[in-house]
Amino acid sequence: MSYSVGQVSAFAGVTVRTLHHYDKAGLLSPSGRSHAGYRLYSDADLVRLQQILFYRELGFSLVEIAAILKDPQSNVLEHLRARQRQLGEQIARLQRLAEVAERAIEVQQTGVSLTPQERFEVFGEITFDLSYATEAELKWAQSEGQREAMARAAAHTKEDWRQLMGEAAAWRTELLAAFDKGEPNDGERAMDLAEEHRLHIARWFTSCPPDMHGRIADDFIADPRAFALVVPPSQQRPGLAAYLCKAIHANTARHAGRRTDSEED
């Protein structure tokens, strides 16, 4: 039997425009013509269309589909297994994103709702990049510390936020002063500031052992969005992120030395 473009569009659930696009792309060209010159699809054409739609549903590009259909000897099973793995990874990522969204909703529901003016009053120039927050949540989702930090942040009142941001601002002033004076990043002053930062995290968000603090410090170098949560861009200096990172690692080493001395005693 033969079928017109309109008929195929109707029972295949695709637009006429899509069928024309497949034709121009060389994926599926109607094999017949009516007496009036209209294009007609054969049963074999419909079988090919079903294959195309199947691969499209799995996310294959038209170029990939053309390559598969062009070579009958191509390893279709290998293509499908590769796509299965990709889909599995996508499903897992979407599931994690759904969990992030659920936790974000919980934070909004249980946390204090601040107006834009109140947010500026409390946070000042510190802004929370949603893309970074989402990525960080995905990265640390399995961490007990991350879950604790989210829960405690959600429970903070407006006054809590005022106090902790005030502490952070005072600490930041000291950090900038030490950096501008050229205090060595492995000196006592820099390490003391690193320790204050670690204790601040522990006091307001989650327990922060020195090794965990070191991983946080590495993020300051790897991602400017992370460091912007500590020092807003308007106050940053070239090399400041690296300075703080090295001070934190020096402080981590200092803690390790203390444990060693204690063990020897």
Side-chain angles (χ1 to χ4, degrees), residues 22 25-28 48 52 55-56 60-72 74 79:
Y22 290 167
L27 266 180
L28 177 65
R48 186 178 177 89
I52 293 170
Y55 288 121
R56 285 298 286 161
F60 285 91
S61 69
L62 295 183
V63 174
E64 290 173 319
I65 295 172
I68 293 172
L69 298 180
K70 183 178 180 180
D71 182 7
S74 65
H79 283 289

Side-chain angles (χ1 to χ4, degrees), residues 14-30:
V14 296
T15 65
V16 170
R17 182 178 180 181
T18 296
L19 292 173
H20 286 320
H21 181 61
Y22 290 167
D23 188 4
K24 291 179 180 179
L27 266 180
L28 177 65
S29 298

